[in-house]
Amino acid sequence: SYALTQPPSVSVSPGQTAYITCSGENLGRKYVCWYQQKPGQSPVLVIYQDAKRPSGIPERFSGSNSGNTATLTISGTQAMDEADYYCQAWDTSAHYVFGTGTKVTVL
Amino acid sequence: VQLVQTGGGLIPPGGSLRLSCAASGLTVGSNYMTWVRQPPGKGLEWVSILYGGGRTYYADSVKGRFTFSRDISKNTVYLQLNSLRAEDTAVYYCARDLDGGGYYGMDVWGQGTTVTVSS
């Protein structure tokens, strides 16, 4: 079955750039979405179609996808960005697959 | 646009439960709707999708035990959970899926409801 792997945690200093990776076989051939989830809250869509931002999502969130790896980039990271982040892709056999999740800590 | 969930609770193994997700600001009959769950302290897991035409698909882990349905007159979707197991313990979220194929993502989420399977 198709699997998406993310690093368990990423630490970043305020104002610096955070890179969150998502790895899967030939992931670059699929579209990837990214979700942010803060403790006790429902997920929020922050990126769709690899690199597009929904209305209301700050420009500091960006995405890319090539080869076997998709990346969510948070530029000028703020304390409010501390959360869990999940990638998601659609697979023909499994339908939706979520990544393992990455906890972003802003130190 | 809002999804309000009800249902959930403590259920013994082998039991059944129905979760509800009432929509406002969107029409469940003309949208793709999904269920996603999250076991305690773990990541998100896709459960099921209901396409606008009425087709449903399920994760292998729940196939044959869970049923996704809708009542257009009530603008509500439901997830019937049967033959519950301890590993079904999770927070269950309903969400709107903008395209049903992973392009535009799930843009509206319910608040989540907790299902605990335990004797």
Side-chain angles (χ1 to χ4, degrees), chain A residues 16-35:
Chain A
Q16 298 304 302
T17 300
Y19 300 94
I20 305 158
T21 58
C22 172
S23 299
E25 185 176 357
N26 294 318
L27 184 57
R29 297 181 183 179
K30 306 177 185 293
Y31 277 122
V32 174
C33 297
W34 289 91
Y35 298 87

Side-chain angles (χ1 to χ4, degrees), chain A:
Chain A
S1 61
Y2 196 76
L4 296 174
T5 302
Q6 300 179 232
S9 63
V10 167
S11 296
V12 60
S13 300
Q16 298 304 302
T17 300
Y19 300 94
I20 305 158
T21 58
C22 172
S23 299
E25 185 176 357
N26 294 318
L27 184 57
R29 297 181 183 179
K30 306 177 185 293
Y31 277 122
V32 174
C33 297
W34 289 91
Y35 298 87
Q36 175 194 69
Q37 186 182 33
K38 297 182 178 179
Q41 298 185 18
S42 302
V44 173
L45 178 68
V46 295
I47 292 288
Y48 67 96
Q49 279 190 12
D50 295 341
K52 297 181 179 179
R53 283 188 316 277
S55 175
I57 299 302
E59 291 184 7
R60 63 180 181 272
F61 289 90
S62 62
S64 63
N65 184 19
S66 179
N68 296 318
T69 304
T71 302
L72 174 68
T73 302
I74 311 175
S75 304
T77 307
Q78 300 182 9
M80 68 174 65
D81 301 328
E82 190 163 281
D84 294 328
Y85 291 83
Y86 295 91
C87 58
Q88 177 206 58
W90 190 83
D91 177 72
T92 52
S93 61
H95 281 80
Y96 284 109
V97 179
F98 283 96
T100 50
T102 298
K103 180 178 181 61
V104 171
T105 302
V106 183
L107 299 172

